[in-house]
Amino acid sequence: MTVIAAMLLAGTATLGAVPAAAETPPGAPYVALGDSQAAGTGNLPYVDDSCLRSKKAYPLLLSAASGIPVASSACAGASTQDVLTGQLGDLGPGTQLVTVTVGANDFDWRAIFAACSSVGSDAACAAAVNAAQATVAALPLRIAQIIGTVRTLAPNAQIMVTGYPLIFGTVSGTCSIGAVQGEQVRFSAAQALAVNNGVTGLNMAVQFGVAAYVGQTGDPGVEYVDIAAGFAGHGLCDTGDRWISGLVSGGPVQQRGFHPNAAGQQAYADTIAAALSQ
């Protein structure tokens, strides 16, 4: 069991005695990197309006459970390139834990959702997902580059790279996800499956990037975390409680659409904590 895992299980553990400032290695103890999933976008209140970073985001939940202070650079809309060029400033030899959730914004999800649902068709939806999947070949290398850069900057950190939850779960009929301008938006079972397949392809690319890095370097401190498994039964139109928000009209709350809600952010934190404890 790692030191990080022991702290997470203890729940109230602290970092121990703090040495003199001159002896403290640089780097935040826990650094969170990534996109809107890691920022907790859609779950008010925000601690950073520019990045839509929420107090209910999973990095803050992990930090509270472990007693390890977190510095989160996660930002809505961030791509793999954004992580590499703008989110690594808090890393250092003193960093013990790094979580990374990124890759979704390297795909054109706007085109996918525009082609799907009741405003599109099953055929258009499948075509949009297939077109987005054409970019998946480049993602494993980008993920491996992020891990390698993080490892260089944070040589002592446990690096946990997460996937994404399947948005819809298992859908057997028509799935209603909310309304836009008073009109209900629905996904057919075929459209929901197509979108889920897109997320599965994204997760496979992220996982392959992690495996490629570990296979090349033998680094034992890097792990892929299967978030989809942790969300099983809790998709938008699944059998259990929704852990992903549907469409909500008006003001900042409209940012919730297709993002994990507060329960989903807790599921992220719990799934990562369970992986750390193994």
Side-chain angles (χ1 to χ4, degrees):
M1 181 182 298
T2 65
V3 173
I4 295 293
M7 290 180 175
L8 286 168
L9 289 175
T12 58
T14 62
L15 293 175
V18 178
E23 300 175 0
T24 302
Y30 167 25
V31 177
L33 311 173
D35 55 26
S36 57
Q37 304 279 310
T41 297
N43 295 290
L44 300 178
Y46 291 140
V47 296
D48 183 335
D49 290 335
S50 63
C51 279
L52 308 183
R53 195 179 304 134
S54 170
K55 288 185 177 181
K56 300 174 183 177
Y58 82 71
L60 278 71
L61 300 177
L62 272 174
S63 174
S66 65
I68 306 174
V70 61
S72 177
S73 296
C75 195
S79 65
T80 50
Q81 185 62 28
D82 293 326
V83 169
L84 280 170
T85 59
Q87 294 192 11
L88 306 181
D90 292 313
L91 296 168
T95 303
Q96 304 170 31
L97 174 64
V98 179
T99 55
V100 184
T101 302
V102 74
N105 291 316
D106 289 37
F107 296 81
D108 190 358
W109 287 101
R110 291 180 183 272
I112 291 175
F113 289 122
C116 296
S117 80
S118 46
V119 300
S121 67
D122 291 358
C125 182
V129 171
N130 289 336
Q133 292 285 37
T135 65
V136 77
L139 186 57
L141 177 58
R142 294 172 187 166
I143 295 296
Q145 288 174 333
I146 289 174
I147 298 170
T149 305
V150 169
R151 173 56 73 222
T152 298
L153 297 172
N156 302 307
Q158 180 77 18
I159 303 171
M160 309 297 282
V161 183
T162 82
Y164 293 83
L166 300 186
I167 294 173
F168 291 101
T170 302
V171 180
S172 58
T174 300
C175 171
S176 179
I177 63 167
V180 174
Q181 297 180 344
E183 292 190 16
Q184 287 293 318
V185 177
R186 295 178 175 85
F187 280 70
S188 70
Q191 290 170 335
L193 178 61
V195 173
N196 282 343
N197 286 342
V199 178
T200 297
L202 168 62
N203 286 340
M204 290 176 64
V206 173
Q207 186 174 15
F208 186 76
V210 174
Y213 173 83
V214 172
Q216 183 176 13
T217 64
D219 190 335
V222 179
E223 184 175 349
Y224 173 77
V225 182
D226 183 359
I227 296 297
F231 271 69
H234 296 280
L236 258 178
C237 293
D238 229 325
T239 54
D241 295 338
R242 286 185 174 185
W243 289 355
I244 298 175
S245 295
L247 297 177
V248 182
S249 300
V253 294
Q254 67 184 1
Q255 298 151 354
R256 294 178 185 172
F258 303 114
H259 287 96
N261 57 24
Q265 287 293 324
Q266 185 64 60
Y268 252 101
D270 291 345
T271 304
I272 296 169
L276 283 166
S277 68
Q278 294 177 356

